[in-house]
Amino acid sequence: MTKTQFPPNGIQKHFAEIVRPFFNEIQILSQQLGFLAKTRDLLLPRLISGKLSVADLDIQFPPGMDAEVKLKANA
């Protein structure tokens, strides 16, 4: 049986310092994704049923999407 070898402590610490922000960002993004999924799940049924109106919202589309929406509206 071979013995498992690990990098020296200094290299391990340096690696941990470099990757820690990435893992922190993954955790934050995961939490945000969960929040957005819950928000979607609460809003979607209300939008589909008409209980929540979007008629009075000032929705601004990104430039490329705005042209696409206008084309579909004129078709």
Side-chain angles (χ1 to χ4, degrees), residues 5-50:
Q5 294 185 6
F6 295 99
N9 285 340
I11 293 175
Q12 290 181 38
K13 287 179 184 178
H14 184 64
F15 177 79
E17 289 172 8
I18 292 171
V19 300
R20 185 175 292 115
F22 296 114
F23 282 100
N24 290 342
E25 187 71 15
I26 290 169
Q27 182 181 8
I28 290 167
L29 291 172
S30 178
Q31 289 171 346
Q32 289 177 344
L33 182 61
F35 174 75
L36 290 170
K38 286 179 185 178
T39 303
R40 177 205 58 214
D41 293 344
L42 290 171
L43 288 175
L44 193 57
R46 296 182 72 197
L47 287 167
I48 292 171
S49 70

Side-chain angles (χ1 to χ4, degrees), residues 43-70:
L43 288 175
L44 193 57
R46 296 182 72 197
L47 287 167
I48 292 171
S49 70
K51 290 181 182 177
L52 184 62
S53 174
V54 293
D56 296 330
L57 295 180
D58 181 23
I59 300 172
Q60 297 178 5
F61 296 100
M65 189 175 175
D66 187 33
E68 184 179 319
V69 169
K70 287 179 184 176

